[in-house]
Amino acid sequence: MFYGAVEAGGTKFVCAVGDQEGKIIDKITLPTEEPQTTLSTIYSFFDNYHLTAIGIGSFGPIELNKDKENYGEILNTPKLSWKNFNIYEAFAKRYKVPTFISTDVNTAALGEYRWGSAKNANSCLYITVGTGIGAGFVNMGEVLNAWNHPEMGHIHVPRHKNDTFEGSCPYHKDCLEGLASGSSIEARYKRKGKELGHEKEVWELEGYYLAQAIMSYSLILGPEKIILGGGVMKQQTLYPIIREQLAKLLNDYITIEKMEEYIVPPSLNDNQGIMGALALAIHGYAIKSSEGPVNT
Amino acid sequence: MFYGAVEAGGTKFVCAVGDQEGKIIDKITLPTEEPQTTLSTIYSFFDNYHLTAIGIGSFGPIELNKDKENYGEILNTPKLSWKNFNIYEAFAKRYKVPTFISTDVNTAALGEYRWGSAKNANSCLYITVGTGIGAGFVNMGEVLNAWNHPEMGHIHVPRHKNDTFEGSCPYHKDCLEGLASGSSIEARYKRKGKELGHEKEVWELEGYYLAQAIMSYSLILGPEKIILGGGVMKQQTLYPIIREQLAKLLNDYITIEKMEEYIVPPSLNDNQGIMGALALAIHGYAIKSSEGPVNT
């Protein structure tokens, strides 16, 4: 059985055909252009296969509330030609197979949960710290998506007492994304993160804010593992700083047996998105077929 | 079919027998004494019925990780005679019927979800603001419980700029519980909350902190409804204050259609715990029997 996987990003799309075991049989990468242009290339690719199900991890915001009429629609994106385009319907209607969609970060979390750093865990939170900050949560194989989809990067955290930077989030100023994303680092220091490699204080402050956020995520969601990825996390010194700060903040209130196994890097080398989309297709199809025969 | 429901509190137990529709057929309330004393009264009560399944909402901390050997054990509680007592096993072994357990707040959330203020919602967060602060989350009928059970009352929130109170939480000083629980109100003002009814600033500050926490819960969990209960919330003026503060904080980043339908009081009049335990039994049994014949 072949499954289709779509990683829909704001600058590029990755599409793959894979099997149950996570083996990628075929794959293409293409730039994100107008929906019809992009999709016609993708259709020519998928049309070569008889797909059993399709999984999509998409940039957003997207409507993921199944009670809404526009389920699967890309909402208020700055990429105007994609605004109000229903990416879920595009695939579901063309291929008439079970189609599943989630956010890019939820899908990445699912990739790491099934095949990556969390493959033996019951639950994991995947946080990406890049231009922006986002996170996805998987518990017992299911991504968390209730009424509104998670926007975990925008929570507020206590300010560091010496920090006077006003924050760079256009919506909330000094929310986590406004204080600790790659673009906030650039706004704060007028240099890119990768040019600040040896500035110890930069990473101490960054680790302080990420640990504050992880404390909230830990107490609210209780994941077994937290995976930190994205461009900013290429700065390896952050991992030990975060672990130490988090231990101090939690003060043994919840049991984290080994901090170095709790806060970990991803292991799928930037493939968590596409592998997660494949996992979404496989898992969704398994659940659906356990409920009765699936018409394809 | 009769279901057993147990609301296990640190000062009292409520036990009930109810049916599928949430009708309570019989009920007892008893003080929390030593486990054997308390349980022998409860056994005499339940022994009169042929129970199909049992649901327990328990004070804690309790071990709720099914991968752990001591699943269902009450852990590090100040009620020493209950410390390391396995309340789940006590019921499961005596009645040999499917038995389900969760935290008191998760269970209360389930009660409001099935029969109370959230009965038409796909998900809800129930927050109790009393001596301490706790919260439980239900999504599509399932309570959230991943690796560690939620301890949502202990998240950190940004301090109000004029607030100099150090906080009363013995673990984290100025976490939410340390700044906004009933006992922190008493520590801060040297008077109980109910004696402060007309002090406008008291409730403005309280609402500010609760709104900060609700912002995090909303962005991380995305619930359809948030129900605020517990002794402190008897101060009705808090609801509009919280709604207003939250709208300001979110700044339209996620869509909350009607704030007055998003932040609501509970509707089960202090019965959400026992009704939730009943719902836990009913829902757990329904899932289990959908998987195959249940041996009872």
Side-chain angles (χ1 to χ4, degrees):
Chain A
M1 291 207 291
F2 290 148
Y3 297 87
V6 179
E7 182 188 359
T11 53
K12 65 170 186 178
F13 269 63
V14 182
C15 298
V17 173
D19 71 9
Q20 190 83 18
E21 277 70 49
K23 196 179 147 204
I24 301 291
I25 283 115
D26 201 353
K27 185 169 153 182
I28 51 164
T29 300
L30 61 159
T32 306
E33 299 178 78
E34 306 260 297
Q36 291 320 328
T37 317
T38 309
L39 285 172
S40 81
T41 311
I42 297 172
Y43 291 158
S44 331
F45 171 72
F46 280 141
D47 284 355
N48 299 318
Y49 296 92
H50 179 71
L51 300 175
T52 298
I54 295 170
I56 307 164
S58 178
F59 70 105
I62 5 174
E63 183 56 68
L64 289 180
N65 185 330
K66 286 187 182 155
D67 293 344
K68 300 276 182 75
E69 246 176 46
N70 59 338
Y71 178 73
E73 182 179 307
I74 296 178
L75 303 170
N76 203 17
T77 172
K79 291 202 74 80
L80 294 179
S81 65
W82 289 84
K83 190 174 165 175
N84 301 122
F85 181 79
N86 196 316
I87 188 168
Y88 166 80
E89 261 186 26
F91 287 95
K93 285 197 171 156
R94 181 170 183 98
Y95 293 103
K96 297 185 179 60
V97 296
T99 300
F100 307 94
I101 185 166
S102 197
T103 61
D104 41 13
V105 278
N106 264 346
T107 312
L110 193 61
E112 289 288 338
Y113 174 85
R114 188 153 185 147
W115 287 302
S117 292
K119 73 172 170 236
N120 299 312
N122 89 337
S123 51
C124 81
L125 181 74
Y126 174 81
I127 309 172
T128 175
V129 190
T131 315
I133 297 180
F137 178 62
V138 178
N139 184 27
M140 307 296 281
E142 296 287 340
V143 297
L144 172 63
N145 208 89
W147 186 256
N148 278 300
H149 65 69
E151 286 290 349
M152 301 197 203
H154 291 270
I155 64 168
H156 276 122
V157 289
R159 306 276 310 218
H160 189 283
K161 63 182 190 312
N162 303 327
D163 186 11
T164 54
F165 177 60
E166 65 167 351
S168 68
C169 173
Y171 290 91
H172 316 111
K173 283 240 159 100
D174 62 353
C175 67
L176 180 68
E177 183 165 302
L179 291 172
S181 63
S183 50
S184 84
I185 291 176
E186 208 179 322
R188 184 198 288 274
Y189 301 106
K190 318 284 176 229
R191 279 189 291 165
K192 283 190 188 293
K194 52 187 161 188
E195 298 162 26
L196 294 161
H198 295 288
E199 307 277 346
K200 211 178 144 210
E201 285 131 49
V202 170
W203 307 109
E204 288 286 341
L205 186 66
E206 179 70 12
Y208 167 86
Y209 283 125
L210 292 173
Q212 288 279 0
I214 292 172
M215 171 148 173
S216 290
Y217 303 148
S218 296
L219 294 170
I220 294 173
L221 299 167
E224 184 171 351
K225 232 171 234 305
I226 292 183
I227 301 165
L228 279 153
V232 173
M233 295 305 302
K234 305 278 181 209
Q235 187 69 29
Q236 296 289 323
T237 49
L238 277 170
Y239 292 94
I241 295 171
I242 292 167
R243 291 181 190 121
E244 195 189 314
Q245 296 267 12
L246 179 64
K248 211 186 289 175
L249 286 168
L250 283 170
N251 195 16
D252 286 330
Y253 191 72
I254 55 170
T255 313
I256 309 284
E257 275 159 28
K258 292 185 180 157
M259 203 47 100
E260 66 278 16
E261 292 176 11
Y262 185 57
I263 305 288
V264 298
S267 65
L268 296 181
N269 297 320
D270 300 332
N271 288 316
Q272 46 281 107
I274 191 69
M275 292 302 288
L278 179 60
L280 191 66
I282 296 171
H283 177 73
Y285 183 78
I287 297 291
K288 212 176 168 86
S289 56
S290 75
E291 291 164 353
V294 181
N295 293 320
T296 59
Chain B
M1 294 206 290
F2 290 148
Y3 297 88
V6 180
E7 182 188 0
T11 54
K12 65 170 187 178
F13 269 64
V14 182
C15 298
V17 173
D19 69 10
Q20 190 82 20
E21 275 71 49
K23 195 179 150 204
I24 300 292
I25 283 115
D26 201 353
K27 184 170 155 183
I28 52 164
T29 301
L30 62 158
T32 306
E33 298 180 80
E34 306 261 299
Q36 292 319 329
T37 319
T38 308
L39 285 173
S40 81
T41 311
I42 297 172
Y43 292 159
S44 331
F45 170 72
F46 279 140
D47 285 354
N48 298 320
Y49 297 90
H50 179 71
L51 300 176
T52 298
I54 296 171
I56 307 164
S58 178
F59 70 106
I62 5 174
E63 184 55 68
L64 290 180
N65 185 331
K66 285 186 184 157
D67 293 343
K68 299 275 182 78
E69 248 177 42
N70 59 339
Y71 179 73
E73 183 179 307
I74 296 178
L75 303 170
N76 203 17
T77 171
K79 293 204 74 81
L80 293 180
S81 65
W82 289 84
K83 189 175 166 174
N84 300 121
F85 180 79
N86 196 316
I87 188 168
Y88 166 80
E89 261 184 28
F91 286 95
K93 284 195 172 158
R94 183 171 181 96
Y95 293 102
K96 298 184 178 62
V97 296
T99 301
F100 307 93
I101 185 166
S102 198
T103 61
D104 41 13
V105 277
N106 264 348
T107 312
L110 194 61
E112 289 288 339
Y113 174 85
R114 188 155 183 143
W115 286 302
S117 292
K119 74 173 170 234
N120 299 313
N122 89 336
S123 52
C124 80
L125 180 74
Y126 174 81
I127 308 171
T128 173
V129 190
T131 314
I133 298 180
F137 178 63
V138 178
N139 184 27
M140 305 296 281
E142 296 288 339
V143 296
L144 172 64
N145 208 89
W147 186 257
N148 278 299
H149 66 69
E151 287 289 349
M152 301 196 204
H154 291 270
I155 64 168
H156 276 120
V157 289
R159 307 272 313 216
H160 189 281
K161 64 182 191 307
N162 302 328
D163 186 11
T164 55
F165 177 60
E166 67 168 349
S168 69
C169 173
Y171 289 90
H172 316 112
K173 286 241 158 102
D174 62 352
C175 67
L176 180 69
E177 183 165 303
L179 291 172
S181 64
S183 50
S184 84
I185 291 176
E186 209 177 322
R188 183 197 288 272
Y189 302 106
K190 318 286 174 226
R191 280 188 290 165
K192 283 187 187 293
K194 53 188 160 187
E195 297 162 28
L196 294 162
H198 294 289
E199 307 278 347
K200 209 177 145 210
E201 285 133 49
V202 170
W203 306 109
E204 289 284 343
L205 187 65
E206 179 70 11
Y208 167 85
Y209 283 125
L210 292 173
Q212 289 278 1
I214 292 171
M215 170 145 173
S216 290
Y217 302 148
S218 297
L219 293 171
I220 294 173
L221 299 166
E224 184 171 352
K225 231 173 234 303
I226 292 183
I227 301 166
L228 280 152
V232 173
M233 294 306 302
K234 305 277 180 211
Q235 188 67 30
Q236 296 291 322
T237 48
L238 277 171
Y239 292 94
I241 294 172
I242 293 167
R243 290 180 192 123
E244 196 188 315
Q245 296 266 13
L246 180 64
K248 212 187 287 175
L249 285 169
L250 283 171
N251 195 17
D252 286 329
Y253 191 72
I254 55 169
T255 313
I256 309 284
E257 274 161 25
K258 290 186 182 160
M259 202 48 98
E260 66 277 17
E261 291 176 10
Y262 184 58
I263 304 288
V264 297
S267 65
L268 296 179
N269 297 322
D270 299 331
N271 287 317
Q272 47 280 107
I274 191 68
M275 293 303 287
L278 179 59
L280 192 66
I282 296 170
H283 178 72
Y285 183 79
I287 297 290
K288 213 177 167 83
S289 55
S290 75
E291 291 163 353
V294 181
N295 292 320
T296 59

